[in-house]
Amino acid sequence: MKSTLMLNSQLLETIGRLPFQAITQERKAVLEKLVGYVQQRINEHLPVRLNFICTHNSRRSQLAQIWAKTAAAYHNVHIESYSGGVEVTGFNDRAVEAIKKAGFRVTRKGELNPKWFIFYSDDSEPVVAFSKLYDDAINPNRDFAAIMTCSHADENCPFIPGAHLRVPVRYEDPKLFDDTPLELQKYEERSIEIATEMFYVFSQIQKTDG
């Protein structure tokens, strides 16, 4: 069931254009493990905590955290969405611009590794985005699923303390196109790809009574 939450109008337009037909059966099989985890937690009336992890917590993991929280709110599924990395850098400015173009309202606080406040609705608390380690104090230390969004972090972090499930949902790094004519296009493509898959995941969740 869709939420009655009033999302930003431009963001709703972006959601309405998401290319769900582009998700292949092979990719749906990858996402099914995440769907199953969320559904099980909902069925058991347990909190759903998702920590999206990539090496620098700068691009893909941030986008996934933001889009997962937005998609869950849209589909009236309560989750706690987090992100982290194995190194601290900053939420990349190019990824921030992709989020703005999608229709999020964004404010910033600080200069070095600033905190970004991402609003998908004026009626909800923002997603707070900044680069941090996956075990930062702001993130859960137990009872969560670790969603590995890049191959480097997946391969170099064989064990995530406190995670009771590890799900590889990898995305190509738009950083490969930094300072090229394709930069803006590739960041937007990656944002939309992640958005599409997160909205697909939460569209599959069946709410339970009680």
Side-chain angles (χ1 to χ4, degrees):
M1 181 178 67
K2 294 180 182 178
S3 172
T4 56
L5 184 70
M6 293 296 293
L7 270 65
N8 302 339
S9 58
Q10 184 181 343
L11 183 56
L12 281 172
E13 292 177 9
T14 299
I15 294 167
R17 296 193 301 269
L18 293 178
F20 294 104
Q21 71 283 357
I23 306 177
T24 64
Q25 291 302 315
E26 291 79 9
R27 191 62 178 173
K28 286 180 180 179
V30 170
L31 298 171
E32 190 56 40
K33 191 172 184 180
L34 179 54
V35 173
Y37 171 77
V38 174
Q39 188 66 66
Q40 180 182 358
R41 301 290 289 183
I42 294 294
N43 291 348
E44 297 176 0
H45 305 290
L46 295 171
V48 180
R49 301 186 181 103
L50 307 179
N51 192 358
F52 296 90
I53 298 172
C54 196
T55 303
H56 299 109
N57 191 209
S58 182
R59 296 169 175 82
R60 290 164 286 179
S61 52
Q62 298 279 7
L63 293 172
Q65 175 191 2
I66 293 163
W67 280 116
K69 182 65 176 179
T70 305
Y74 180 85
H75 286 288
N76 203 27
V77 179
H78 179 71
I79 70 165
E80 298 169 32
S81 186
Y82 306 89
S83 68
V86 296
E87 299 177 37
V88 175
T89 56
F91 186 9
N92 187 270
D93 289 345
R94 300 169 181 88
V96 173
E97 288 304 313
I99 284 296
K100 288 180 180 178
K101 185 158 187 181
F104 290 90
R105 184 166 62 83
V106 178
T107 61
R108 168 181 173 159
K109 183 177 181 180
E111 294 300 325
L112 184 63
N113 187 17
K115 288 187 177 180
W116 298 87
F117 299 87
I118 317 296
F119 295 85
Y120 53 85
S121 169
D122 290 335
D123 301 328
S124 298
E125 292 297 313
V127 178
V128 181
F130 65 100
S131 183
K132 71 200 84 65
L133 299 179
Y134 64 80
D135 58 356
D136 187 271
I138 200 172
N139 289 343
N141 57 19
R142 61 180 179 84
D143 202 28
F144 66 93
I147 317 301
M148 314 304 290
T149 61
C150 76
S151 58
H152 182 272
D154 197 15
E155 293 162 0
N156 288 277
C157 297
F159 176 67
I160 303 293
H164 58 175
L165 180 70
R166 179 195 184 100
V167 184
V169 183
R170 299 176 177 182
Y171 297 99
E172 292 184 9
D173 193 352
K175 181 181 179 180
L176 298 172
F177 298 91
D178 284 6
D179 302 317
T180 75
L182 292 175
E183 177 183 279
L184 179 60
Q185 174 188 333
K186 292 301 180 180
Y187 273 82
E188 290 178 9
E189 285 179 1
R190 195 62 60 243
S191 176
I192 292 301
E193 178 189 13
I194 293 172
T196 302
E197 294 195 348
M198 291 301 108
F199 270 82
Y200 169 79
V201 165
F202 288 100
S203 74
Q204 302 302 298
I205 303 305
Q206 302 297 313
K207 300 300 293 294
T208 60
D209 295 328

